[in-house]
């Protein structure tokens, strides 16, 4: 996370909206709103209900949407199998330290089939929010999550800088998402008032995929066909602009 023209994102947030110190609630006018369902999603649901086949027009709309999404994505294969193994051992150590209670309270966020580890900066989201909705996410006060480990700088960030994926000094937050088999995260947009673009992710342990344009239903969990299915290989870097 980085804020253009600001040394601390808390200053950026204060300049953008009414804001109270700390991470509880707050908010007001000028917050980004959740965009309405795109037309292709409404049409798709209607087709599923009616059992009709998609028209050429609807297929063209979906293809156009997929092209737009893909135009903001860049992927690189930067980390060798040996480098991945070295980093994965460090991640396992993070998991072990968290299980022993060696991190600050807000460094670790646990959910079914997925644990999240914040370093540098952390923020409230989802069920943690006092007021729900896009734009309500808040950074935790400085010092409430652990600093970015040195191995992240040495083994991950340095290589991203060397290959000009990001400029020197861009990263002030590193988050590890540890998914168990069958684990996933629902469709979302990383908060635009907190995160500077690009969002950069590096994948370890296994191949996976990113899916765009999915709609989730729960109990039981179900998901619609994605607008774009993006394979993500172990050791690859995905840059989202």
């Amino acid at each position: 996370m980085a804020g253009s023209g600001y040394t601390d994102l808390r200053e950026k947030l204060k300049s953008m909206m009414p804001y109270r110190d700390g991470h509880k609630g707050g908010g007001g006018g000028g917050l980004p709103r959740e965009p309405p369902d795109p037309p292709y999603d409404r049409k798709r649901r209607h087709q599923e209900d009616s059992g009709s086949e998609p028209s050429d027009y609807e297929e063209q709309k979906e293809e156009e949407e997929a092209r737009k999404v893909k135009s903001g994505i860049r992927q690189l294969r930067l980390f060798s199998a040996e480098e991945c193994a070295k980093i994965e051992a460090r991640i396992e150590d993070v998991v072990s330290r968290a299980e022993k209670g060696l991190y600050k309270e807000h460094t670790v966020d646990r959910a079914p089939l997925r644990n999240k580890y914040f370093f540098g900066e952390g923020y409230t989201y989802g069920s943690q929010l006092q007021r729900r909705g896009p734009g309500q996410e808040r950074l935790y006060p400085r010092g409430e999550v652990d600093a970015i480990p040195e191995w992240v700088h040495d083994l991950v960030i340095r290589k991203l800088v060397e290959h000009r994926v990001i400029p020197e000094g861009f990263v002030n937050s590193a988050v590890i998402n540890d998914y168990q088999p069958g684990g996933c995260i629902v469709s979302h947009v990383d908060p635009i008032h907190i995160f500077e673009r690009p969002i950069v992710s590096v994948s370890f342990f296994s191949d996976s995929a990113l899916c765009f344009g999915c709609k989730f239903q729960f109990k039981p969990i179900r998901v619609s066909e994605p607008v774009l299915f993006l394979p993500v290989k172990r050791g690859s870097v995905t840059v989202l602009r």
Side-chain angles (χ1 to χ4, degrees), residues 110-126:
R110 300 186 185 280
L113 299 180
R114 191 273 296 150
N115 291 334
K116 197 177 188 79
Y117 306 94
F118 291 105
F119 296 103
E121 296 280 3
Y123 63 96
T124 61
Y125 67 100

Side-chain angles (χ1 to χ4, degrees), residues 5-127:
Y6 294 89
T7 58
D8 189 332
L9 273 176
R10 293 167 187 79
E11 298 174 8
K12 179 181 177 182
L13 294 179
K14 288 180 180 179
S15 71
M16 293 171 58
M17 64 190 74
Y19 184 84
R20 292 181 296 175
D21 288 338
H23 60 271
K24 295 183 178 179
L31 301 182
R33 296 186 179 181
E34 186 174 3
D37 290 341
Y40 64 87
D41 284 325
R42 293 197 293 270
K43 290 186 176 73
R44 178 183 294 141
R45 285 198 294 272
H46 174 72
Q47 290 156 10
E48 290 172 351
D49 293 341
S50 63
S52 62
E53 292 295 323
S55 67
D56 290 342
Y57 171 78
E58 288 157 349
E59 289 181 351
Q60 290 173 2
K61 291 288 286 183
E62 290 191 4
E63 290 172 0
E64 179 184 355
E65 189 72 17
R67 283 196 298 271
K68 288 181 179 179
V69 173
K70 199 168 185 179
S71 69
I73 300 172
R74 177 187 174 201
Q75 280 190 311
L76 308 88
R77 193 73 175 268
L78 287 188
F79 295 87
S80 67
E82 292 76 18
E83 290 171 319
C84 286
K86 191 172 183 179
I87 293 167
E88 287 160 2
R90 297 284 191 164
I91 295 172
E92 294 284 18
D93 182 60
V94 168
V95 173
S96 176
R97 288 175 60 84
E99 290 175 347
K100 295 174 183 176
L102 299 179
Y103 290 123
K104 297 178 180 180
E105 177 185 357
H106 294 305
T107 295
V108 183
D109 176 56
R110 300 186 185 280
L113 299 180
R114 191 273 296 150
N115 291 334
K116 197 177 188 79
Y117 306 94
F118 291 105
F119 296 103
E121 296 280 3
Y123 63 96
T124 61
Y125 67 100
S127 61

Side-chain angles (χ1 to χ4, degrees), residues 182-225:
C184 66
I185 190 168
V186 298
S187 300
H188 67 285
V189 175
D190 289 315
I192 61 175
H193 62 293
I194 290 179
F195 284 90
E196 188 71 61
R197 267 51 178 176
I199 304 294
V200 180
S201 66
V202 189
S203 298
F204 300 105
F205 290 101
S206 67
D207 296 347
S208 59
L210 285 172
C211 295
F212 298 83
C214 295
K215 296 294 182 181
F216 277 79
Q217 293 178 309
F218 299 92
K219 297 182 181 179
I221 189 168
R222 291 169 291 166
V223 64
S224 66
E225 287 293 321

